[in-house]
C-alpha cells in the first residue's frame, strides 16, 4: 500500500518570518514579526516547513554565505526552541544576472524538496511578501499566499487579482489550517452566497476596499435587514454594487459623459459615483434621496458574487455602525457575530480604506468622501473637483462625515510628532515612516517606508490590534495630505478623540 505523500508549506524569510531590513550580516539584525512563531507552530502541526530565500546580497558581495547561514541558524534556533522544525533552509545566493536556475520564481527548491521528501506539491503552499513567491508556487502546482508584511504592500500592484492576501503570517496560517473560513460557522461559498442574495438573505463579502454586508438592491425587506444588523440609521444611504453595465442601467436615469470617463479609467475599482436614480430603486437604499451611489468593485470574488446573484447588491461596510471597517472575514465576525447573515472569506482587503465617493448628480463634480482613488487622479479626468462638501443628502450633510466614525474603543489621539521617549506601557503608537522611538508601549508601523497605500492597507487592522491590548490611549500622526494620504487622514481624524 502506498503511504500518502506529505504536504509542505514553503516560507519566504525576509518580510515574511522576519522583518525585511535589507542585507542581514548577523543574527542581531534579525527581528521576528510578533506573530511569526505562533503562526509557524500552527502550520507545523500538519505540514513540513521549508524556508526558501533569495539572498542576492551574497552574489553582489554585500554579505557572505556564512552571514546568511548565521542568520538562518539563529532563526532556526529560536523556532526549534519553540518546538518548530524547519526541514530545510534553501538559499539562492545568486544575483539575477547570473541566470541561475534556483532563484525564485524558479520552482527549483520546491521541486527538489518534493523529490527528496516525497511531497504532494498540489497540496502544498508557499507564503511570501513578493509576487515572485506566489509565482514560484504557480510554476509547480503549489498554491501561493501573499502577506502584506515586508514589501508586500508595496508590490501589490504586480500581484494577480485572484491571489489571496493577508495582513500577516497568522492570517495565511489560518487560511491554510482552517481551510477557507478558518472555523467561522456562517461561512459560505461564492455560489451559495449568490443564491442567498437572490433569495433575499444577507451575505458579507470581500471587496478590494473593505468587507461589505450585502443584500439585493431591489428587495427592500432584505436591505432593511442590513440596517438592523449594523445598527445603522436609515437616513444614511447605501452604495449599490454592480458587476456589469447592464446592472448599472437598472439603477440610474442617465450616465453623463463625465461618469463614463471615470468608469472607463477607474472601474472596476474603489470609486463610487453618485447619479440621479431610477424610480425603481427603493427609498431604503438611497435614504429617500433621488440619487443613487454606484460602484463596480475590483475584487474578483465580489464581482462573481454580484453576477451570480443576478442583481445589484446594496452593501455598506460590514461593521457595527460607527466602528472600524473590517478588512478580513474574522474582523466582520468579531463585530457582527455569526447570526443573520452568511460570509465569504476572501482574505485581507488590498486597498484597505473605503472607496472614494464622487457626486455627478449636481452641477459640478463634488468629492463626498476621500478614498481608494486619490483626488489627484479624479482631477486628471474631471478637471477641478469640489472638495468642500455640499449638503447633497436629505438628512445628512455629508456621507461618512458623521463626526465619530471608523472608531476604535481605545481613545486615539493625533499628535504633531510622536514622543521620542515614552515610559508608559499603556500608551500605544501608530507610526508612519521609521522614526527612532524608545517606547515602553506597543508600536504599529503603518508603513516603515512612508508609503500611503501601504499605510491604507494596514490602517484598520493596526487599529484593531491596538484596540485589543487594553491600552489607555493610542497616539498617531497624520500622513502628508496627498494621494491616499488624504483618505487615511480622513479616517484617522474620524477615529480620533475630538478635543
Ligand atoms: O469601499 C466602499 O465603498 C465599501 C465597500 C463595501 O464597497 N462600502 C462602504 O459603504 O464604505 P458605506 O455604506 O460604509 O459608505 C457609503 C457612503 C456613505 O458615506 C454614504 O453616506 C454615501 O456613501 N452615499 C451612499 N449613497 C449616497 C447618495 N445617494 N448620495 C450621497 N452619498 C451617498
Ligand atoms: Mg520577502
Amino acid at each position: 500500500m502506498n503511504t500518502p505523500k506529505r504536504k509542505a508549506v514553503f516560507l519566504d524569510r525576509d518580510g515574511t518570518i522576519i522583518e525585511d531590513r535589507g542585507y542581514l550580516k548577523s543574527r542581531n539584525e534579525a527581528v521576528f514579526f510578533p506573530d511569526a512563531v505562533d503562526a509557524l507552530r500552527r502550520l507545523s502541526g500538519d505540514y513540513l516547513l521549508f524556508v526558501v530565500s533569495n539572498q542576492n546580497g551574497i552574489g553582489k558581495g554585500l554579505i557572505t554565505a556564512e552571514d546568511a547561514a548565521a542568520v538562518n541558524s539563529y532563526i532556526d534556533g529560536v523556532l526549534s526552541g519553540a518546538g518548530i522544525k524547519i526541514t530545510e533552509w534553501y538559499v539562492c545566493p545568486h544575483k539575477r544576472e547570473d541566470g541561475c536556475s534556483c532563484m525564485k520564481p524558479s520552482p527549483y527548491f520546491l521541486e527538489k524538496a518534493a523529490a527528496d521528501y516525497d511531497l504532494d506539491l498540489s497540496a502544498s503552499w508557499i507564503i511570501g511578501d513578493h509576487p515572485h513567491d506566489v509565482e514560484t508556487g504557480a510554476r509547480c502546482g503549489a498554491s501561493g499566499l501573499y502577506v502584506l508584511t515586508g514589501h508586500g504592500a508595496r508590490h501589490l500592484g504586480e500581484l494577480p487579482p485572484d491571489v489571496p492576501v493577508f495582513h500577516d503570517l497568522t492570517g495565511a496560517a489560518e487560511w491554510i489550517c482552517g481551510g477557507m473560513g478558518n472555523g467561522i460557522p456562517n461561512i459560505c461559498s461564492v455560489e451559495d452566497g449568490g443564491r442567498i442574495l437572490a433569495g433575499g438573505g444577507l451575505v458579507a463579502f470581500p471587496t478590494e476596499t473593505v468587507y461589505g454586508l450585502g443584500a439585493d438592491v431591489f428587495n427592500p425587506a432584505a436591505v432593511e435587514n442590513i440596517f438592523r444588523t449594523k445598527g445603522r440609521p436609515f437616513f444614511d444611504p447605501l452604495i449599490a454594487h454592480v458587476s456589469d453595465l447592464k446592472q448599472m442601467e437598472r439603477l440610474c436615469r442617465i450616465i453623463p459623459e463625465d461618469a463614463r470617463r471615470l468608469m472607463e479609467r477607474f472601474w472596476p475599482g474603489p470609486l463610487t459615483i453618485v447619479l440621479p436614480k431610477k424610480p425603481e430603486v427603493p427609498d431604503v437604499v438611497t435614504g429617500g434621496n433621488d440619487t443613487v451611489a454606484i460602484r463596480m468593485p475590483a475584487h474578483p470574488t465580489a464581482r462573481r458574487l454580484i453576477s451570480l446573484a443576478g442583481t445589484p447588491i446594496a452593501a455598506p461596510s460590514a461593521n457595527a455602525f460607527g466602528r472600524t471597517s473590517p478588512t478580513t472575514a474574522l474582523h466582520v465576525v468579531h463585530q457582527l457575530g455569526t447570526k443573520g447573515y452568511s460570509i465569504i472569506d476572501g482574505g485581507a482587503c488590498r486597498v484597505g480604506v473605503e472607496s472614494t465617493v464622487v457626486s455627478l448628480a449636481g452641477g459640478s463634480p463634488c468629492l463626498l468622501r476621500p478614498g481608494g482613488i486619490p483626488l489627484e487622479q479624479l482631477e486628471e479626468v474631471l478637471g477641478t473637483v469640489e472638495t468642500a462638501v455640499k449638503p447633497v443628502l436629505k438628512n445628512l450633510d455629508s456621507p461618512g462625515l458623521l463626526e465619530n466614525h471608523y472608531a476604535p474603543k481605545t481613545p486615539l489621539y493625533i499628535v504633531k510628532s510622536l514622543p521620542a521617549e515614552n515610559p508608559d506601557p499603556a500608551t500605544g503608537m501608530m507610526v508612519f515612516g521609521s522614526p527612532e522611538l524608545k517606547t515602553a508601549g506597543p508600536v504599529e508601523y503603518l508603513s516603515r517606508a512612508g508609503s500611503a497605500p501601504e499605510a491604507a492597507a494596514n490602517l484598520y487592522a493596526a487599529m484593531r490590534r491596538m484596540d485589543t491590548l487594553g491600552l489607555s490611549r493610542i497616539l498617531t500622526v497624520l500622513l502628508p495630505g496627498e494621494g491616499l494620504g488624504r483618505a487615511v487622514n480622513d479616517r484617522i481624524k474620524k477615529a480620533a478623540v475630538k478635543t
Side-chain angles (χ1 to χ4, degrees):
M1 212 177 76
N2 287 338
T3 46
K5 291 188 169 206
R6 289 187 281 185
K7 307 181 287 183
V9 176
F10 297 90
L11 296 137
D12 175 44
R13 191 189 82 179
D14 301 19
T16 302
I17 298 174
I18 58 170
E19 289 182 8
D20 193 330
R21 297 196 168 190
Y23 300 107
L24 303 190
K25 284 201 162 128
S26 78
R27 50 187 294 163
N28 309 327
E29 293 170 319
V31 179
F32 277 83
F33 285 113
D35 66 313
V37 173
D38 284 341
L40 293 178
R41 188 183 294 112
R42 180 145 189 213
L43 289 170
S44 68
D46 290 326
Y47 294 86
L48 292 183
L49 302 185
F50 297 86
V51 173
V52 185
S53 166
N54 283 353
Q55 294 293 332
N56 65 11
I58 300 172
K60 291 179 179 168
L62 299 169
I63 55 170
T64 64
E66 291 71 36
D67 294 337
V71 173
N72 288 348
S73 106
Y74 164 68
I75 300 171
D76 197 58
V78 172
L79 294 179
S80 60
I84 301 157
K85 180 176 174 192
I86 302 295
T87 301
E88 293 275 359
W89 288 81
Y90 296 121
V91 175
C92 164
H94 308 106
K95 51 187 193 302
R96 193 154 299 279
E97 305 84 84
D98 297 342
C100 68
S101 59
C102 57
M103 179 179 281
K104 292 182 283 191
S106 156
Y108 177 87
F109 287 123
L110 277 62
E111 284 169 347
K112 178 169 167 39
D116 292 351
Y117 294 91
D118 195 28
L119 302 177
D120 177 0
L121 286 179
S122 71
S124 298
W125 304 79
I126 180 166
I127 308 174
D129 69 321
H130 195 282
H132 70 207
D133 293 306
V134 171
E135 169 72 18
T136 305
R139 289 193 190 181
C140 63
S143 307
L145 299 180
Y146 191 82
V147 284
L148 292 169
T149 46
H151 291 285
R154 202 170 322 156
H155 291 284
L156 258 178
E158 303 146 42
L159 189 72
D162 54 339
V163 176
V165 311
F166 302 90
H167 290 297
D168 48 29
L169 209 44
T170 301
E174 277 166 352
W175 180 278
I176 290 173
C177 293
M180 215 186 275
N182 51 68
I184 299 172
N186 51 335
I187 211 81
C188 71
S189 67
V190 191
E191 290 74 19
D192 286 344
R195 280 189 287 272
I196 293 167
L197 287 169
L202 302 190
V203 176
F205 61 97
T207 80
E208 71 279 20
T209 58
V210 300
Y211 274 69
L213 179 64
D216 177 358
V217 160
F218 295 106
N219 184 332
V223 175
E224 273 175 35
N225 271 335
I226 296 179
F227 287 88
R228 272 190 219 105
T229 306
K230 274 187 62 111
R232 175 175 172 128
F234 278 99
F235 57 76
D236 195 5
L238 305 179
I239 296 171
H241 297 69
V242 299
S243 60
D244 58 47
L245 294 183
K246 271 227 163 65
Q247 288 189 343
M248 172 145 186
E249 284 158 12
R250 295 179 63 193
L251 297 167
C252 57
R253 276 184 273 136
I254 39 161
I255 304 180
E257 193 48 37
D258 274 349
R260 287 192 193 280
R261 286 164 51 218
L262 288 178
M263 288 153 58
E264 191 152 310
R265 166 107 186 248
F266 300 113
W267 277 12
L271 178 69
T272 296
I273 307 174
V274 175
L275 293 171
K277 84 172 184 84
K278 280 202 166 149
E280 295 85 331
V281 180
D283 277 346
V284 62
V285 174
T286 65
N289 294 280
D290 55 8
T291 55
V292 57
I294 309 174
R295 137 168 153 83
M296 185 187 288
H299 199 297
T301 303
R303 280 215 310 290
R304 179 119 191 285
L305 174 74
I306 299 163
S307 136
L308 285 169
T311 170
I313 297 300
S317 49
N319 50 285
F321 183 69
R323 300 244 82 97
T324 314
S325 299
T327 54
T328 71
L330 273 177
H331 291 170
V332 175
V333 168
H334 287 157
Q335 280 201 357
L336 297 184
T338 58
K339 302 260 158 63
Y341 70 101
S342 298
I343 181 164
I344 298 168
D345 189 354
C349 302
R350 295 188 182 196
V351 176
V353 292
E354 296 81 351
S355 62
T356 299
V357 182
V358 64
S359 173
L360 298 180
S364 43
C366 179
L367 181 75
L368 301 181
R369 178 177 75 182
I373 300 290
L375 177 65
E376 291 86 342
Q377 289 186 24
L378 285 187
E379 294 195 323
E380 284 169 22
V381 175
L382 297 174
T384 309
V385 172
E386 273 184 62
T387 53
V389 182
K390 292 181 296 189
V392 292
L393 293 174
K394 269 190 180 163
N395 298 302
L396 182 66
D397 273 0
S398 54
L401 288 191
L402 288 169
E403 279 275 279
N404 263 89
H405 221 73
Y406 314 112
K409 293 196 170 123
T410 315
L412 172 74
Y413 296 92
I414 300 169
V415 294
K416 280 234 157 61
S417 64
L418 293 165
E421 291 202 25
N422 160 46
D424 174 19
T427 295
M429 298 195 211
M430 294 202 308
V431 181
F432 184 68
S434 34
E436 280 285 325
L437 292 174
K438 269 206 193 120
T439 174
V443 176
E444 285 282 350
Y445 289 92
L446 295 178
S447 164
R448 282 180 186 275
S451 138
E454 216 175 304
N458 288 325
L459 178 70
Y460 290 138
M463 270 193 208
R464 279 165 190 277
R465 282 190 296 260
M466 283 256 151
D467 214 13
T468 60
L469 300 176
L471 301 171
S472 58
R473 56 180 189 160
I474 306 169
L475 305 182
T476 194
V477 288
L478 294 177
L479 276 52
E482 57 194 25
L484 271 188
R486 211 179 264 106
V488 172
N489 288 348
D490 173 74
R491 306 307 189 269
I492 290 178
K493 285 181 195 161
K494 284 189 198 127
V497 171
K498 310 294 179 293
T499 43

